[in-house]
């Protein structure tokens, strides 16, 4: 699927790519609306209205900002996330892939829309930092990955050749933005959330497992098939 001789840089999304999206889906669409109603003693209509409001910010910096939602909803979003942090976990064979990249590849960068508060929660629980050369958050550059401004800012901070870069993300809009910027090697994720059905990415090849990317002659590869 990938000729690794053509790749100098690997850009990786976090939520839904390296980490199971189940935590985020559960938190934003179930846990937060329920706890918001409890904390402010509101009714079911408020619960439903909040879910609609959350979805309305999708793809913007606000959507990804814990500070924004804490301020807007007058709740401690990080504290509420910690209530369900046991759901934070790596996707299937993500650790195997990261281990292989660390041994075989010169530059691995986390390119994420998660803000620094989210990273502060998730990185210690997952150990991702041990496998990454750099971490760039959309909060750092003031633009979400859905916007071209993110990619220009990323290239300034972390120079890469788009023609020799592999980017993996579960979000079709983000992949489209990366393609517009000129990144040549783009892959999606079939099932970002282990508790929800597979997604269809019509314009991009989607991975089932990271093992599909590894050279076939790797020792022990048979066990991943």
């Amino acid at each position: 699927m990938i000729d690794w001789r053509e790749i100098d840089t690997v850009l990786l999304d976090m939520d839904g790519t390296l980490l199971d999206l189940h935590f985020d889906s559960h938190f934003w669409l179930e846990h937060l609306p329920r706890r918001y109603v409890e904390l402010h003693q509101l009714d079911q209509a408020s619960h439903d209205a909040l879910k609609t409001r959350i979805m309305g910010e999708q793809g913007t910096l606000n959507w990804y900002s814990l500070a924004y939602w804490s301020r807007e909803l007058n709740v401690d979003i990080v504290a509420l996330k910690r209530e369900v942090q046991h759901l934070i976990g790596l996707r299937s064979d993500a650790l195997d892939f990261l281990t292989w990249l660390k041994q075989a590849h010169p530059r691995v960068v986390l390119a994420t829309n998660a803000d620094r508060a989210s990273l502060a929660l998730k990185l210690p629980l997952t150990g991702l930092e041990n496998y990454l050369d750099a971490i760039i958050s959309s909060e750092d550059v003031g633009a979400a990955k859905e916007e071209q401004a993110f990619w220009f800012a990323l290239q300034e901070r972390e120079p890469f050749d788009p023609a020799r870069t592999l980017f993996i993300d579960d979000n079709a809009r983000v992949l489209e933005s990366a393609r517009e910027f000129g990144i040549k090697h783009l892959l999606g994720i079939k099932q970002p959330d282990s508790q929800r059905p597979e997604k269809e990415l019509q314009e991009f090849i989607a991975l089932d497992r990271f093992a599909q990317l590894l050279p076939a002659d790797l020792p022990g590869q048979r066990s991943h098939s």
Side-chain angles (χ1 to χ4, degrees), residues 195-211:
Q195 306 303 307
R196 296 186 177 212
E198 292 183 355
K199 295 197 313 184
E200 280 199 25
L201 293 174
Q202 296 181 344
E203 298 184 35
F204 302 95
I205 294 171
L207 294 173
D208 186 23
R209 293 176 64 81
F210 290 112

Side-chain angles (χ1 to χ4, degrees), residues 9-223:
T9 304
V10 177
L11 303 176
L12 297 170
D13 171 51
M14 183 172 70
D15 301 315
T17 298
L18 294 176
L19 302 187
D20 191 337
L21 197 61
H22 175 55
F23 167 78
D24 296 278
S25 302
H26 176 76
F27 178 78
W28 291 105
L29 299 179
E30 297 177 44
H31 190 70
L32 175 58
R34 179 176 60 79
R35 295 288 283 120
Y36 172 72
V37 165
E38 290 173 358
L39 290 168
H40 293 301
Q41 300 180 323
L42 302 170
D43 56 14
Q44 182 63 35
S46 300
H47 176 283
D48 298 339
L50 176 56
K51 287 175 71 169
T52 300
R53 184 177 175 190
I54 289 170
M55 296 307 293
E57 293 286 357
Q58 197 165 9
T60 69
L61 271 184
N62 286 343
W63 163 266
Y64 302 106
S65 171
L66 304 196
Y68 170 81
W69 291 111
S70 292
R71 184 173 64 250
E72 289 293 304
L73 304 181
N74 192 27
V75 295
D76 185 339
I77 294 289
V78 174
L80 294 182
K81 281 199 164 196
R82 290 195 182 280
E83 294 177 353
V84 288
Q85 69 180 23
H86 60 280
L87 297 177
I88 297 171
L90 290 155
R91 287 187 61 254
S92 59
D93 61 346
L95 193 58
D96 291 343
F97 181 50
L98 289 168
T99 300
W100 181 78
L101 285 175
K102 187 173 177 122
Q103 296 167 350
H105 212 271
R107 202 73 188 155
V108 180
V109 178
L110 190 72
T112 179
N113 272 328
D115 67 3
R116 285 290 166 177
S118 289
L119 288 165
L121 175 66
K122 292 176 177 178
L123 293 178
L125 295 173
T126 58
L128 284 179
E129 275 181 296
N130 299 325
Y131 301 91
L132 304 167
D133 294 306
I135 297 171
I136 305 294
S137 161
S138 60
E139 182 183 33
D140 301 337
V141 303
K145 288 188 292 183
E146 288 86 343
E147 304 169 50
Q148 287 298 289
F150 174 88
W151 302 103
F152 283 101
L154 173 63
Q155 195 171 48
E156 256 187 46
R157 289 169 176 247
E158 190 63 38
F160 64 93
D161 177 356
R164 297 186 59 82
T165 295
L166 166 65
F167 175 50
I168 308 176
D169 199 295
D170 67 299
N171 185 324
R173 284 179 61 195
V174 169
L175 289 168
E176 288 162 7
S177 181
R179 181 173 62 190
E180 182 182 343
F181 183 73
I183 294 176
K184 181 178 178 182
H185 305 276
L186 299 166
L187 292 170
I189 298 292
K190 270 188 186 174
Q191 192 176 21
D193 183 331
S194 63
Q195 306 303 307
R196 296 186 177 212
E198 292 183 355
K199 295 197 313 184
E200 280 199 25
L201 293 174
Q202 296 181 344
E203 298 184 35
F204 302 95
I205 294 171
L207 294 173
D208 186 23
R209 293 176 64 81
F210 290 112
Q212 295 170 257
L213 298 182
L214 304 188
D217 57 353
L218 271 185
Q221 264 305 97
R222 187 175 301 170
S223 65

